Short mmCIF file of all heavy atoms in Angstrom, two decimals:
data_model
loop_
_atom_site.label_atom_id
_atom_site.label_comp_id
_atom_site.label_asym_id
_atom_site.label_seq_id
_atom_site.Cartn_x
_atom_site.Cartn_y
_atom_site.Cartn_z
N ARG K 1 8.77 13.45 20.47
CA ARG K 1 9.87 12.66 21.02
C ARG K 1 9.60 11.17 20.90
O ARG K 1 8.47 10.72 21.02
CB ARG K 1 10.09 13.03 22.49
CG ARG K 1 10.63 14.43 22.71
CD ARG K 1 10.75 14.73 24.19
NE ARG K 1 9.46 14.65 24.87
CZ ARG K 1 9.29 14.68 26.17
NH1 ARG K 1 10.33 14.77 26.96
NH2 ARG K 1 8.08 14.60 26.70
N GLY K 2 10.67 10.43 20.70
CA GLY K 2 10.55 8.98 20.66
C GLY K 2 10.00 8.42 19.37
O GLY K 2 9.72 7.22 19.29
N LYS K 3 9.86 9.24 18.34
CA LYS K 3 9.32 8.77 17.08
C LYS K 3 10.41 8.17 16.20
O LYS K 3 11.58 8.53 16.29
CB LYS K 3 8.62 9.90 16.32
CG LYS K 3 7.48 10.56 17.09
CD LYS K 3 6.35 9.58 17.35
CE LYS K 3 5.17 10.27 18.06
NZ LYS K 3 4.08 9.32 18.36
N ILE K 4 10.01 7.24 15.34
CA ILE K 4 10.90 6.65 14.34
C ILE K 4 10.27 6.88 12.98
O ILE K 4 9.15 6.41 12.73
CB ILE K 4 11.11 5.15 14.59
CG1 ILE K 4 11.73 4.91 15.97
CG2 ILE K 4 12.00 4.54 13.51
CD1 ILE K 4 11.83 3.45 16.35
N VAL K 5 10.95 7.59 12.12
CA VAL K 5 10.41 7.95 10.80
C VAL K 5 11.31 7.37 9.72
O VAL K 5 12.54 7.43 9.83
CB VAL K 5 10.29 9.48 10.64
CG1 VAL K 5 9.91 9.84 9.21
CG2 VAL K 5 9.26 10.02 11.62
N THR K 6 10.71 6.81 8.71
CA THR K 6 11.45 6.26 7.57
C THR K 6 11.36 7.22 6.39
O THR K 6 10.26 7.66 6.03
CB THR K 6 10.89 4.89 7.16
OG1 THR K 6 11.03 3.98 8.25
CG2 THR K 6 11.64 4.34 5.96
N HIS K 7 12.50 7.54 5.82
CA HIS K 7 12.50 8.33 4.59
C HIS K 7 12.35 7.36 3.43
O HIS K 7 13.22 6.55 3.16
CB HIS K 7 13.82 9.11 4.45
CG HIS K 7 13.79 10.12 3.33
ND1 HIS K 7 13.80 9.76 2.01
CD2 HIS K 7 13.75 11.48 3.35
CE1 HIS K 7 13.78 10.85 1.25
NE2 HIS K 7 13.74 11.90 2.05
N GLY K 8 11.20 7.43 2.79
CA GLY K 8 10.92 6.45 1.73
C GLY K 8 11.80 6.56 0.53
O GLY K 8 11.84 5.66 -0.31
N GLY K 9 12.54 7.66 0.42
CA GLY K 9 13.41 7.80 -0.74
C GLY K 9 12.65 8.31 -1.93
O GLY K 9 11.58 8.91 -1.82
N TYR K 10 13.19 8.07 -3.07
CA TYR K 10 12.62 8.58 -4.30
C TYR K 10 12.31 7.43 -5.25
O TYR K 10 12.37 7.57 -6.46
CB TYR K 10 13.59 9.57 -4.93
CG TYR K 10 14.09 10.60 -3.93
CD1 TYR K 10 15.38 10.54 -3.42
CD2 TYR K 10 13.24 11.59 -3.46
CE1 TYR K 10 15.82 11.46 -2.47
CE2 TYR K 10 13.67 12.50 -2.50
CZ TYR K 10 14.96 12.44 -2.02
OH TYR K 10 15.39 13.34 -1.08
N TYR K 11 11.98 6.28 -4.65
CA TYR K 11 11.78 5.09 -5.45
C TYR K 11 10.39 5.01 -6.08
O TYR K 11 10.14 4.17 -6.93
CB TYR K 11 12.02 3.84 -4.60
CG TYR K 11 11.07 3.67 -3.44
CD1 TYR K 11 9.86 3.00 -3.58
CD2 TYR K 11 11.40 4.18 -2.19
CE1 TYR K 11 9.01 2.85 -2.51
CE2 TYR K 11 10.55 4.02 -1.12
CZ TYR K 11 9.35 3.36 -1.28
OH TYR K 11 8.50 3.22 -0.22
N ALA K 12 9.47 5.86 -5.62
CA ALA K 12 8.08 5.77 -6.09
C ALA K 12 7.83 6.72 -7.25
O ALA K 12 6.80 7.40 -7.30
CB ALA K 12 7.13 6.05 -4.94
N SER K 13 8.74 6.78 -8.20
CA SER K 13 8.55 7.61 -9.38
C SER K 13 7.51 6.96 -10.29
O SER K 13 7.22 5.76 -10.16
CB SER K 13 9.87 7.75 -10.14
OG SER K 13 10.28 6.49 -10.64
N PRO K 14 6.92 7.72 -11.22
CA PRO K 14 5.95 7.10 -12.14
C PRO K 14 6.52 5.89 -12.88
O PRO K 14 5.83 4.88 -13.04
CB PRO K 14 5.63 8.26 -13.11
CG PRO K 14 5.83 9.50 -12.29
CD PRO K 14 6.99 9.17 -11.40
N ALA K 15 7.78 5.99 -13.32
CA ALA K 15 8.38 4.86 -14.04
C ALA K 15 8.52 3.65 -13.11
O ALA K 15 8.25 2.51 -13.51
CB ALA K 15 9.75 5.25 -14.59
N ALA K 16 8.94 3.90 -11.84
CA ALA K 16 9.10 2.79 -10.89
C ALA K 16 7.76 2.15 -10.56
O ALA K 16 7.67 0.93 -10.43
CB ALA K 16 9.78 3.30 -9.62
N VAL K 17 6.72 2.96 -10.42
CA VAL K 17 5.39 2.41 -10.13
C VAL K 17 4.89 1.59 -11.31
O VAL K 17 4.32 0.50 -11.14
CB VAL K 17 4.41 3.54 -9.78
CG1 VAL K 17 2.97 3.02 -9.73
CG2 VAL K 17 4.78 4.17 -8.44
N ARG K 18 5.10 2.09 -12.53
CA ARG K 18 4.69 1.32 -13.72
C ARG K 18 5.44 -0.01 -13.78
O ARG K 18 4.84 -1.05 -14.08
CB ARG K 18 4.95 2.13 -14.99
CG ARG K 18 4.02 3.32 -15.18
CD ARG K 18 4.16 3.92 -16.58
NE ARG K 18 3.37 5.12 -16.71
CZ ARG K 18 3.86 6.36 -16.52
NH1 ARG K 18 5.14 6.51 -16.20
NH2 ARG K 18 3.09 7.41 -16.63
N ASP K 19 6.75 0.03 -13.49
CA ASP K 19 7.52 -1.21 -13.47
C ASP K 19 6.99 -2.17 -12.40
O ASP K 19 6.88 -3.38 -12.62
CB ASP K 19 9.00 -0.92 -13.20
CG ASP K 19 9.68 -0.27 -14.40
OD1 ASP K 19 9.13 -0.35 -15.51
OD2 ASP K 19 10.77 0.32 -14.21
N GLY K 20 6.66 -1.61 -11.23
CA GLY K 20 6.13 -2.44 -10.15
C GLY K 20 4.80 -3.07 -10.51
O GLY K 20 4.55 -4.24 -10.21
N LEU K 21 3.94 -2.30 -11.19
CA LEU K 21 2.65 -2.85 -11.62
C LEU K 21 2.86 -3.94 -12.67
O LEU K 21 2.21 -4.99 -12.64
CB LEU K 21 1.78 -1.73 -12.20
CG LEU K 21 1.28 -0.69 -11.19
CD1 LEU K 21 0.60 0.46 -11.91
CD2 LEU K 21 0.33 -1.32 -10.18
N ARG K 22 3.79 -3.70 -13.56
CA ARG K 22 4.07 -4.68 -14.61
C ARG K 22 4.67 -5.96 -14.03
O ARG K 22 4.41 -7.07 -14.53
CB ARG K 22 5.01 -4.06 -15.65
CG ARG K 22 5.28 -4.96 -16.85
CD ARG K 22 5.90 -4.18 -18.00
NE ARG K 22 7.07 -3.43 -17.59
CZ ARG K 22 7.11 -2.09 -17.52
NH1 ARG K 22 6.04 -1.38 -17.83
NH2 ARG K 22 8.21 -1.47 -17.13
N ASN K 23 5.47 -5.82 -12.96
CA ASN K 23 6.15 -6.98 -12.37
C ASN K 23 5.33 -7.67 -11.28
O ASN K 23 5.80 -8.61 -10.64
CB ASN K 23 7.50 -6.55 -11.77
CG ASN K 23 8.45 -6.04 -12.83
OD1 ASN K 23 8.37 -6.43 -14.00
ND2 ASN K 23 9.35 -5.15 -12.44
N GLY K 24 4.11 -7.18 -11.05
CA GLY K 24 3.25 -7.81 -10.05
C GLY K 24 3.63 -7.52 -8.62
O GLY K 24 3.30 -8.31 -7.72
N GLU K 25 4.32 -6.39 -8.37
CA GLU K 25 4.73 -6.05 -7.01
C GLU K 25 3.58 -5.49 -6.18
O GLU K 25 3.59 -5.60 -4.95
CB GLU K 25 5.88 -5.03 -7.05
CG GLU K 25 7.14 -5.57 -7.74
CD GLU K 25 8.15 -4.47 -8.03
OE1 GLU K 25 8.00 -3.37 -7.46
OE2 GLU K 25 9.08 -4.70 -8.83
N PHE K 26 2.60 -4.89 -6.84
CA PHE K 26 1.44 -4.34 -6.13
C PHE K 26 0.32 -5.38 -6.09
O PHE K 26 0.12 -6.13 -7.05
CB PHE K 26 0.93 -3.07 -6.82
CG PHE K 26 1.86 -1.89 -6.70
CD1 PHE K 26 2.81 -1.64 -7.68
CD2 PHE K 26 1.79 -1.04 -5.62
CE1 PHE K 26 3.67 -0.56 -7.59
CE2 PHE K 26 2.65 0.04 -5.51
CZ PHE K 26 3.59 0.28 -6.49
N PHE K 27 -0.43 -5.39 -5.00
CA PHE K 27 -1.57 -6.28 -4.90
C PHE K 27 -2.58 -5.67 -3.94
O PHE K 27 -2.26 -4.75 -3.15
CB PHE K 27 -1.16 -7.68 -4.44
CG PHE K 27 -0.47 -7.74 -3.10
CD1 PHE K 27 -1.19 -7.97 -1.94
CD2 PHE K 27 0.90 -7.53 -3.00
CE1 PHE K 27 -0.56 -8.02 -0.70
CE2 PHE K 27 1.54 -7.58 -1.77
CZ PHE K 27 0.80 -7.83 -0.62
N LEU K 28 -3.82 -6.15 -4.00
CA LEU K 28 -4.89 -5.64 -3.16
C LEU K 28 -5.30 -6.66 -2.11
O LEU K 28 -5.34 -7.87 -2.39
CB LEU K 28 -6.12 -5.28 -4.00
CG LEU K 28 -6.01 -4.10 -4.96
CD1 LEU K 28 -7.34 -3.88 -5.66
CD2 LEU K 28 -5.58 -2.83 -4.24
N HIS K 29 -5.59 -6.18 -0.93
CA HIS K 29 -6.26 -6.95 0.11
C HIS K 29 -7.58 -6.24 0.42
O HIS K 29 -7.70 -5.03 0.20
CB HIS K 29 -5.41 -7.10 1.35
CG HIS K 29 -4.43 -8.23 1.26
ND1 HIS K 29 -3.49 -8.50 2.23
CD2 HIS K 29 -4.25 -9.18 0.32
CE1 HIS K 29 -2.78 -9.55 1.89
NE2 HIS K 29 -3.22 -9.98 0.73
N PHE K 30 -8.52 -6.99 0.94
CA PHE K 30 -9.85 -6.43 1.21
C PHE K 30 -10.25 -6.72 2.65
O PHE K 30 -10.15 -7.86 3.11
CB PHE K 30 -10.88 -7.04 0.25
CG PHE K 30 -10.59 -6.75 -1.20
CD1 PHE K 30 -9.78 -7.59 -1.95
CD2 PHE K 30 -11.11 -5.61 -1.80
CE1 PHE K 30 -9.51 -7.33 -3.28
CE2 PHE K 30 -10.83 -5.33 -3.13
CZ PHE K 30 -10.03 -6.19 -3.87
N GLN K 31 -10.67 -5.66 3.36
CA GLN K 31 -11.15 -5.83 4.73
C GLN K 31 -12.67 -5.70 4.74
O GLN K 31 -13.22 -4.67 4.32
CB GLN K 31 -10.53 -4.81 5.68
CG GLN K 31 -10.90 -5.08 7.14
CD GLN K 31 -10.12 -4.23 8.11
OE1 GLN K 31 -9.87 -3.05 7.84
NE2 GLN K 31 -9.73 -4.80 9.25
N PRO K 32 -13.36 -6.72 5.23
CA PRO K 32 -14.82 -6.71 5.19
C PRO K 32 -15.42 -5.60 6.04
O PRO K 32 -14.90 -5.24 7.09
CB PRO K 32 -15.20 -8.09 5.75
CG PRO K 32 -13.96 -8.92 5.62
CD PRO K 32 -12.81 -7.97 5.76
N ILE K 33 -16.54 -5.09 5.58
CA ILE K 33 -17.40 -4.20 6.35
C ILE K 33 -18.68 -4.99 6.64
O ILE K 33 -19.32 -5.50 5.71
CB ILE K 33 -17.73 -2.92 5.57
CG1 ILE K 33 -16.44 -2.16 5.22
CG2 ILE K 33 -18.68 -2.02 6.35
CD1 ILE K 33 -16.64 -1.00 4.26
N VAL K 34 -19.01 -5.15 7.91
CA VAL K 34 -20.09 -6.08 8.28
C VAL K 34 -21.27 -5.35 8.89
O VAL K 34 -21.15 -4.24 9.44
CB VAL K 34 -19.59 -7.16 9.27
CG1 VAL K 34 -18.41 -7.92 8.68
CG2 VAL K 34 -19.20 -6.53 10.60
N ASN K 35 -22.42 -6.00 8.77
CA ASN K 35 -23.63 -5.54 9.44
C ASN K 35 -23.54 -5.99 10.90
O ASN K 35 -23.44 -7.19 11.18
CB ASN K 35 -24.85 -6.16 8.75
CG ASN K 35 -26.16 -5.64 9.32
OD1 ASN K 35 -26.34 -5.55 10.54
ND2 ASN K 35 -27.08 -5.31 8.43
N LEU K 36 -23.55 -5.05 11.82
CA LEU K 36 -23.38 -5.39 13.23
C LEU K 36 -24.52 -6.25 13.77
O LEU K 36 -24.33 -7.01 14.73
CB LEU K 36 -23.26 -4.11 14.07
CG LEU K 36 -21.86 -3.49 14.14
CD1 LEU K 36 -21.91 -2.11 14.79
CD2 LEU K 36 -20.90 -4.39 14.90
N ALA K 37 -25.68 -6.17 13.16
CA ALA K 37 -26.82 -6.95 13.64
C ALA K 37 -26.74 -8.40 13.20
O ALA K 37 -27.09 -9.31 13.96
CB ALA K 37 -28.13 -6.33 13.14
N THR K 38 -26.25 -8.66 11.98
CA THR K 38 -26.25 -10.02 11.43
C THR K 38 -24.86 -10.63 11.29
O THR K 38 -24.73 -11.85 11.17
CB THR K 38 -26.91 -10.03 10.04
OG1 THR K 38 -26.09 -9.27 9.13
CG2 THR K 38 -28.30 -9.41 10.11
N GLY K 39 -23.83 -9.80 11.27
CA GLY K 39 -22.48 -10.30 11.04
C GLY K 39 -22.16 -10.54 9.58
O GLY K 39 -21.06 -10.99 9.24
N ALA K 40 -23.12 -10.28 8.68
CA ALA K 40 -22.90 -10.50 7.25
C ALA K 40 -22.11 -9.34 6.65
O ALA K 40 -22.26 -8.18 7.06
CB ALA K 40 -24.24 -10.64 6.53
#
């Protein structure tokens, strides 16, 4: 109860993903993993 769900549709086809990669729509972000003792 009380959930909100999005139907993503059918936009993530192989052709659409290739177009997205070619058009620069996808990108990466990086989350650090640190040493708890040193913070590095």
Side-chain angles (χ1 to χ4, degrees):
R1 291 177 300 171
K3 301 297 183 182
I4 300 174
V5 173
T6 299
H7 190 289
Y10 311 106
Y11 62 89
S13 65
V17 169
R18 289 191 186 95
D19 288 343
L21 292 172
R22 185 165 52 250
N23 297 332
E25 297 168 15
F26 291 93
F27 59 94
L28 292 182
H29 276 176
F30 298 89
Q31 186 170 39
I33 300 171
V34 304
N35 185 314
L36 277 171
T38 66

